[in-house]
Amino acid sequence: MKYVSVNVHGRVQGVGFRSFTQHRAVECNITGWVKNEDDGSVHIEAQGNEEDMSRFLELIKKGPSRFANVRDMDVIALDEGLKFKAFKIKY
């Protein structure tokens, strides 16, 4: 299992990014959560197998629509430990 912390920068708030992320996570068998940050970025904590995680991160780079613009993604691999049961949107 791979566990990552991701900060997504660009035009990622107000464009359906959290919902998009949740749908892609379910599609890719990824568990964890996503939330908006005060600085305009989106933060994701995600866990899944290596292949699913790579696919998920590639989809996240593309964003949900032509209105979103992912400028940069900071992906940090964390020590495995948390076991999420689903992928949720945090508010």
Side-chain angles (χ1 to χ4, degrees):
M1 291 291 263
K2 187 168 186 177
Y3 177 36
V4 298
S5 173
V6 183
N7 285 315
V8 185
H9 305 276
R11 189 179 332 130
V12 293
Q13 290 190 15
V15 293
F17 199 88
R18 288 176 299 168
S19 179
F20 167 82
T21 300
Q22 183 181 43
H23 285 99
R24 297 301 79 80
V26 170
E27 183 181 291
C28 295
N29 300 310
I30 298 296
T31 57
W33 53 265
V34 60
K35 76 173 191 163
N36 285 344
E37 295 293 339
D38 292 339
D39 66 359
S41 68
V42 170
H43 185 77
I44 303 166
E45 297 275 329
Q47 187 169 329
N49 72 42
E50 188 86 32
E51 185 177 317
D52 291 339
M53 186 63 71
S54 292
R55 184 170 159 235
F56 172 69
L57 293 173
E58 283 302 314
L59 290 169
I60 295 306
K61 282 181 190 176
K62 295 178 183 176
S65 69
R66 62 185 175 176
F67 300 111
N69 180 16
V70 175
R71 186 181 72 241
D72 190 30
M73 278 180 37
D74 302 319
V75 180
I76 299 169
L78 301 173
D79 291 336
E80 188 177 344
L82 293 177
K83 300 284 187 204
F84 301 111
K85 295 181 190 241
F87 196 93
K88 299 183 180 197
I89 297 173
K90 288 189 174 185
Y91 296 94

